[in-house]
Short mmCIF file of all heavy atoms in Angstrom, two decimals:
data_model
loop_
_atom_site.label_atom_id
_atom_site.label_comp_id
_atom_site.label_asym_id
_atom_site.label_seq_id
_atom_site.Cartn_x
_atom_site.Cartn_y
_atom_site.Cartn_z
N ALA A 78 1.95 13.66 -3.71
CA ALA A 78 2.19 15.01 -4.16
C ALA A 78 3.37 15.09 -5.09
O ALA A 78 4.28 14.26 -5.02
CB ALA A 78 2.43 15.96 -2.95
N ILE A 79 3.37 16.09 -5.95
CA ILE A 79 4.46 16.31 -6.87
C ILE A 79 4.63 17.81 -7.07
O ILE A 79 3.69 18.53 -7.30
CB ILE A 79 4.23 15.57 -8.26
CG1 ILE A 79 5.45 15.74 -9.14
CG2 ILE A 79 2.96 16.09 -8.92
CD1 ILE A 79 5.43 14.84 -10.35
N THR A 80 5.86 18.26 -6.90
CA THR A 80 6.15 19.70 -7.02
C THR A 80 6.28 20.08 -8.48
O THR A 80 6.36 19.23 -9.37
CB THR A 80 7.41 20.04 -6.28
OG1 THR A 80 8.55 19.48 -6.95
CG2 THR A 80 7.38 19.53 -4.84
N ARG A 81 6.36 21.39 -8.70
CA ARG A 81 6.57 21.86 -10.06
C ARG A 81 7.90 21.39 -10.63
O ARG A 81 8.05 21.32 -11.84
CB ARG A 81 6.50 23.40 -10.11
CG ARG A 81 7.45 24.10 -9.20
CD ARG A 81 7.29 25.59 -9.29
NE ARG A 81 8.13 26.32 -8.37
CZ ARG A 81 8.25 27.62 -8.28
NH1 ARG A 81 7.52 28.38 -9.08
NH2 ARG A 81 9.08 28.19 -7.39
N GLY A 82 8.83 21.08 -9.74
CA GLY A 82 10.14 20.56 -10.16
C GLY A 82 10.17 19.06 -10.33
O GLY A 82 11.23 18.52 -10.71
N GLY A 83 9.08 18.38 -10.03
CA GLY A 83 9.02 16.95 -10.22
C GLY A 83 9.34 16.08 -9.01
O GLY A 83 9.35 14.83 -9.11
N SER A 84 9.59 16.72 -7.87
CA SER A 84 9.84 15.94 -6.66
C SER A 84 8.53 15.32 -6.15
O SER A 84 7.52 16.00 -6.06
CB SER A 84 10.47 16.81 -5.59
OG SER A 84 10.68 16.10 -4.40
N THR A 85 8.56 14.06 -5.79
CA THR A 85 7.35 13.34 -5.37
C THR A 85 7.41 12.93 -3.92
O THR A 85 8.49 12.71 -3.34
CB THR A 85 7.08 12.11 -6.23
OG1 THR A 85 8.21 11.20 -6.11
CG2 THR A 85 6.92 12.49 -7.69
N SER A 86 6.25 12.77 -3.33
CA SER A 86 6.13 12.23 -1.96
C SER A 86 4.84 11.47 -1.88
O SER A 86 3.88 11.74 -2.61
CB SER A 86 6.18 13.35 -0.92
OG SER A 86 5.12 14.29 -1.12
N TYR A 87 4.80 10.50 -0.96
CA TYR A 87 3.67 9.58 -0.85
C TYR A 87 3.32 9.33 0.61
O TYR A 87 4.19 9.32 1.49
CB TYR A 87 3.98 8.23 -1.51
CG TYR A 87 4.26 8.33 -2.98
CD1 TYR A 87 5.55 8.51 -3.44
CD2 TYR A 87 3.20 8.26 -3.91
CE1 TYR A 87 5.83 8.60 -4.78
CE2 TYR A 87 3.49 8.36 -5.25
CZ TYR A 87 4.78 8.52 -5.71
OH TYR A 87 5.02 8.61 -7.05
N ALA A 88 2.05 9.13 0.84
CA ALA A 88 1.59 8.63 2.13
C ALA A 88 2.12 7.23 2.32
O ALA A 88 2.27 6.47 1.34
CB ALA A 88 0.07 8.68 2.22
N ASP A 89 2.38 6.85 3.57
CA ASP A 89 2.92 5.54 3.85
C ASP A 89 2.02 4.41 3.33
O ASP A 89 2.53 3.37 2.89
CB ASP A 89 3.12 5.35 5.34
CG ASP A 89 4.29 6.16 5.88
OD1 ASP A 89 5.16 6.55 5.07
OD2 ASP A 89 4.34 6.37 7.10
N PHE A 90 0.71 4.61 3.35
CA PHE A 90 -0.19 3.54 2.98
C PHE A 90 -0.27 3.26 1.49
O PHE A 90 -0.91 2.31 1.08
CB PHE A 90 -1.59 3.79 3.55
CG PHE A 90 -2.18 5.13 3.25
CD1 PHE A 90 -2.79 5.39 2.02
CD2 PHE A 90 -2.13 6.16 4.18
CE1 PHE A 90 -3.32 6.63 1.73
CE2 PHE A 90 -2.65 7.41 3.89
CZ PHE A 90 -3.26 7.63 2.68
N VAL A 91 0.41 4.07 0.66
CA VAL A 91 0.42 3.84 -0.81
C VAL A 91 1.79 3.66 -1.37
O VAL A 91 1.92 3.38 -2.57
CB VAL A 91 -0.32 4.96 -1.53
CG1 VAL A 91 -1.76 5.12 -1.07
CG2 VAL A 91 0.45 6.27 -1.45
N LYS A 92 2.84 3.79 -0.53
CA LYS A 92 4.19 3.63 -1.04
C LYS A 92 4.40 2.25 -1.66
O LYS A 92 4.02 1.24 -1.10
CB LYS A 92 5.19 3.84 0.09
CG LYS A 92 5.33 5.30 0.52
CD LYS A 92 6.38 5.46 1.60
CE LYS A 92 6.54 6.93 1.99
NZ LYS A 92 7.51 7.11 3.09
N GLY A 93 4.98 2.27 -2.85
CA GLY A 93 5.19 1.04 -3.56
C GLY A 93 4.05 0.59 -4.41
O GLY A 93 4.19 -0.36 -5.22
N ARG A 94 2.89 1.21 -4.26
CA ARG A 94 1.70 0.82 -5.01
C ARG A 94 1.23 1.94 -5.97
O ARG A 94 0.76 1.62 -7.06
CB ARG A 94 0.54 0.48 -4.08
CG ARG A 94 0.83 -0.70 -3.15
CD ARG A 94 -0.44 -1.12 -2.43
NE ARG A 94 -0.96 -0.09 -1.57
CZ ARG A 94 -2.23 0.37 -1.61
NH1 ARG A 94 -3.09 -0.13 -2.50
NH2 ARG A 94 -2.62 1.32 -0.77
N PHE A 95 1.34 3.19 -5.54
CA PHE A 95 0.84 4.32 -6.34
C PHE A 95 2.01 5.13 -6.87
O PHE A 95 3.06 5.24 -6.24
CB PHE A 95 -0.03 5.24 -5.50
CG PHE A 95 -1.35 4.67 -5.04
CD1 PHE A 95 -1.66 3.33 -5.25
CD2 PHE A 95 -2.26 5.50 -4.42
CE1 PHE A 95 -2.85 2.82 -4.83
CE2 PHE A 95 -3.50 4.97 -4.00
CZ PHE A 95 -3.80 3.65 -4.19
N THR A 96 1.84 5.73 -8.04
CA THR A 96 2.82 6.63 -8.63
C THR A 96 2.16 7.88 -9.14
O THR A 96 1.20 7.80 -9.93
CB THR A 96 3.56 5.91 -9.79
OG1 THR A 96 4.19 4.72 -9.31
CG2 THR A 96 4.62 6.86 -10.34
N ILE A 97 2.65 9.02 -8.72
CA ILE A 97 2.14 10.30 -9.22
C ILE A 97 3.10 10.84 -10.27
O ILE A 97 4.32 10.67 -10.14
CB ILE A 97 1.97 11.32 -8.06
CG1 ILE A 97 1.25 12.56 -8.57
CG2 ILE A 97 3.29 11.66 -7.41
CD1 ILE A 97 0.84 13.53 -7.45
N SER A 98 2.55 11.42 -11.30
CA SER A 98 3.39 12.00 -12.36
C SER A 98 2.65 13.19 -12.95
O SER A 98 1.46 13.44 -12.67
CB SER A 98 3.69 10.96 -13.45
OG SER A 98 2.47 10.51 -14.06
N ARG A 99 3.37 13.99 -13.73
CA ARG A 99 2.76 15.15 -14.35
C ARG A 99 3.31 15.35 -15.75
O ARG A 99 4.41 14.92 -16.08
CB ARG A 99 2.99 16.43 -13.51
CG ARG A 99 4.42 16.87 -13.41
CD ARG A 99 4.61 17.98 -12.38
NE ARG A 99 3.92 19.21 -12.79
CZ ARG A 99 3.54 20.18 -11.93
NH1 ARG A 99 3.79 20.04 -10.63
NH2 ARG A 99 2.93 21.26 -12.39
N ASP A 100 2.50 15.97 -16.58
CA ASP A 100 2.87 16.31 -17.93
C ASP A 100 2.56 17.78 -18.13
O ASP A 100 1.39 18.15 -18.26
CB ASP A 100 2.13 15.45 -18.94
CG ASP A 100 2.59 15.64 -20.38
OD1 ASP A 100 3.01 16.78 -20.71
OD2 ASP A 100 2.53 14.68 -21.15
N ASN A 101 3.57 18.62 -18.09
CA ASN A 101 3.36 20.06 -18.17
C ASN A 101 2.83 20.50 -19.57
O ASN A 101 2.17 21.54 -19.67
CB ASN A 101 4.63 20.81 -17.83
CG ASN A 101 4.97 20.69 -16.36
OD1 ASN A 101 4.13 20.33 -15.52
ND2 ASN A 101 6.20 21.03 -16.01
N THR A 102 3.19 19.74 -20.60
CA THR A 102 2.70 20.08 -21.93
C THR A 102 1.19 19.84 -22.02
O THR A 102 0.45 20.68 -22.58
CB THR A 102 3.42 19.26 -23.01
OG1 THR A 102 4.81 19.54 -22.96
CG2 THR A 102 2.88 19.60 -24.38
N LYS A 103 0.74 18.74 -21.44
CA LYS A 103 -0.69 18.41 -21.45
C LYS A 103 -1.45 19.05 -20.29
O LYS A 103 -2.68 18.91 -20.22
CB LYS A 103 -0.90 16.90 -21.45
CG LYS A 103 -0.33 16.21 -22.67
CD LYS A 103 -0.59 14.71 -22.58
CE LYS A 103 -0.06 14.01 -23.79
NZ LYS A 103 -0.26 12.54 -23.73
N LYS A 104 -0.74 19.71 -19.41
CA LYS A 104 -1.34 20.31 -18.23
C LYS A 104 -2.17 19.30 -17.44
O LYS A 104 -3.34 19.51 -17.16
CB LYS A 104 -2.21 21.51 -18.62
CG LYS A 104 -1.46 22.62 -19.31
CD LYS A 104 -2.41 23.75 -19.70
CE LYS A 104 -1.64 24.84 -20.44
NZ LYS A 104 -2.56 25.96 -20.83
N ALA A 105 -1.50 18.19 -17.11
CA ALA A 105 -2.19 17.11 -16.44
C ALA A 105 -1.32 16.47 -15.38
O ALA A 105 -0.09 16.51 -15.47
CB ALA A 105 -2.65 16.07 -17.44
N VAL A 106 -1.95 15.92 -14.38
CA VAL A 106 -1.29 15.15 -13.35
C VAL A 106 -2.01 13.79 -13.26
O VAL A 106 -3.24 13.73 -13.46
CB VAL A 106 -1.29 15.86 -11.98
CG1 VAL A 106 -2.71 16.11 -11.48
CG2 VAL A 106 -0.47 15.08 -10.97
N TYR A 107 -1.26 12.75 -13.00
CA TYR A 107 -1.78 11.40 -13.02
C TYR A 107 -1.50 10.68 -11.71
O TYR A 107 -0.52 10.97 -11.04
CB TYR A 107 -1.23 10.60 -14.18
CG TYR A 107 -1.33 11.29 -15.52
CD1 TYR A 107 -0.25 12.02 -16.04
CD2 TYR A 107 -2.50 11.23 -16.25
CE1 TYR A 107 -0.36 12.66 -17.26
CE2 TYR A 107 -2.61 11.88 -17.46
CZ TYR A 107 -1.53 12.59 -17.95
OH TYR A 107 -1.64 13.23 -19.15
N LEU A 108 -2.34 9.74 -11.39
CA LEU A 108 -2.09 8.83 -10.26
C LEU A 108 -2.32 7.41 -10.74
O LEU A 108 -3.46 7.01 -10.98
CB LEU A 108 -3.00 9.16 -9.08
CG LEU A 108 -2.73 8.36 -7.81
CD1 LEU A 108 -1.35 8.75 -7.22
CD2 LEU A 108 -3.82 8.57 -6.78
N GLN A 109 -1.22 6.69 -10.91
CA GLN A 109 -1.30 5.29 -11.26
C GLN A 109 -1.41 4.48 -9.98
O GLN A 109 -0.55 4.55 -9.11
CB GLN A 109 -0.05 4.85 -12.04
CG GLN A 109 -0.04 3.37 -12.42
CD GLN A 109 -1.13 3.00 -13.41
OE1 GLN A 109 -1.33 3.72 -14.39
NE2 GLN A 109 -1.86 1.93 -13.12
N MET A 110 -2.50 3.74 -9.85
CA MET A 110 -2.80 2.99 -8.64
C MET A 110 -2.77 1.50 -8.97
O MET A 110 -3.59 1.01 -9.76
CB MET A 110 -4.13 3.38 -8.06
CG MET A 110 -4.29 4.88 -7.78
SD MET A 110 -5.82 5.32 -6.96
CE MET A 110 -7.00 4.89 -8.26
N ASN A 111 -1.85 0.80 -8.36
CA ASN A 111 -1.73 -0.65 -8.52
C ASN A 111 -1.98 -1.35 -7.21
O ASN A 111 -1.91 -0.75 -6.15
CB ASN A 111 -0.33 -1.02 -9.06
CG ASN A 111 -0.05 -0.39 -10.39
OD1 ASN A 111 -0.90 -0.27 -11.27
ND2 ASN A 111 1.24 -0.03 -10.60
N SER A 112 -2.22 -2.62 -7.30
CA SER A 112 -2.45 -3.45 -6.08
C SER A 112 -3.47 -2.83 -5.15
O SER A 112 -3.26 -2.70 -3.95
CB SER A 112 -1.13 -3.67 -5.35
OG SER A 112 -0.18 -4.30 -6.16
N LEU A 113 -4.59 -2.42 -5.73
CA LEU A 113 -5.61 -1.72 -4.96
C LEU A 113 -6.24 -2.62 -3.89
O LEU A 113 -6.39 -3.82 -4.10
CB LEU A 113 -6.68 -1.17 -5.90
CG LEU A 113 -6.29 0.08 -6.67
CD1 LEU A 113 -7.20 0.29 -7.86
CD2 LEU A 113 -6.31 1.29 -5.73
N LYS A 114 -6.56 -1.98 -2.78
CA LYS A 114 -7.14 -2.67 -1.63
C LYS A 114 -8.50 -2.05 -1.36
O LYS A 114 -8.77 -0.91 -1.69
CB LYS A 114 -6.26 -2.50 -0.40
CG LYS A 114 -4.83 -2.95 -0.58
CD LYS A 114 -4.00 -2.62 0.66
CE LYS A 114 -2.56 -3.05 0.47
NZ LYS A 114 -1.75 -2.71 1.68
N PRO A 115 -9.41 -2.82 -0.72
CA PRO A 115 -10.73 -2.25 -0.39
C PRO A 115 -10.64 -0.96 0.41
O PRO A 115 -11.48 -0.06 0.24
CB PRO A 115 -11.40 -3.38 0.42
CG PRO A 115 -10.78 -4.62 -0.13
CD PRO A 115 -9.34 -4.25 -0.41
N GLU A 116 -9.63 -0.84 1.27
CA GLU A 116 -9.47 0.38 2.07
C GLU A 116 -9.06 1.61 1.24
O GLU A 116 -9.02 2.72 1.79
CB GLU A 116 -8.52 0.16 3.23
CG GLU A 116 -7.16 -0.39 2.82
CD GLU A 116 -7.09 -1.91 3.01
OE1 GLU A 116 -8.06 -2.62 2.65
OE2 GLU A 116 -6.06 -2.38 3.50
N ASP A 117 -8.75 1.38 -0.04
CA ASP A 117 -8.46 2.51 -0.93
C ASP A 117 -9.74 3.15 -1.44
O ASP A 117 -9.67 4.18 -2.11
CB ASP A 117 -7.63 2.05 -2.11
CG ASP A 117 -6.22 1.62 -1.72
OD1 ASP A 117 -5.62 2.26 -0.82
OD2 ASP A 117 -5.73 0.63 -2.30
N THR A 118 -10.87 2.55 -1.17
CA THR A 118 -12.15 3.10 -1.63
C THR A 118 -12.38 4.49 -1.07
O THR A 118 -12.33 4.70 0.17
CB THR A 118 -13.29 2.16 -1.23
OG1 THR A 118 -13.15 0.91 -1.90
CG2 THR A 118 -14.64 2.77 -1.59
N ALA A 119 -12.61 5.46 -1.94
CA ALA A 119 -12.75 6.83 -1.51
C ALA A 119 -13.03 7.68 -2.75
O ALA A 119 -12.94 7.22 -3.89
CB ALA A 119 -11.49 7.33 -0.82
N VAL A 120 -13.40 8.93 -2.49
CA VAL A 120 -13.41 9.93 -3.55
C VAL A 120 -12.04 10.54 -3.61
O VAL A 120 -11.50 10.98 -2.59
CB VAL A 120 -14.47 11.01 -3.30
CG1 VAL A 120 -14.39 12.08 -4.40
CG2 VAL A 120 -15.89 10.39 -3.26
N TYR A 121 -11.45 10.55 -4.78
CA TYR A 121 -10.10 11.08 -4.97
C TYR A 121 -10.18 12.44 -5.60
O TYR A 121 -10.85 12.67 -6.60
CB TYR A 121 -9.27 10.13 -5.83
CG TYR A 121 -8.81 8.92 -5.11
CD1 TYR A 121 -9.70 7.92 -4.72
CD2 TYR A 121 -7.46 8.75 -4.74
CE1 TYR A 121 -9.29 6.81 -4.01
CE2 TYR A 121 -7.04 7.63 -4.03
CZ TYR A 121 -7.97 6.67 -3.66
OH TYR A 121 -7.54 5.56 -2.95
#
């Protein structure tokens, strides 16, 4: 999760692997996912 002020939080199972960010000009939020595991398989 990321607040309108840019504060981020993560579930324990993705800490150190995923990064959430936002671009208010582009009106977009991103999730960079690295070191993916089979258990990450899901609809996001």
Side-chain angles (χ1 to χ4, degrees):
I79 185 168
T80 69
R81 57 181 176 176
S84 179
T85 60
S86 60
Y87 299 91
D89 288 341
F90 52 81
V91 303
K92 287 182 178 177
R94 299 190 297 126
F95 292 8
T96 302
I97 188 172
S98 61
R99 67 189 295 159
D100 186 328
N101 289 344
T102 299
K103 297 180 179 179
K104 299 179 181 179
V106 62
Y107 308 97
L108 185 67
Q109 179 66 47
M110 305 185 294
N111 299 324
S112 302
L113 283 162
K114 306 174 181 179
E116 52 262 44
D117 294 321
T118 296
V120 177
Y121 284 70

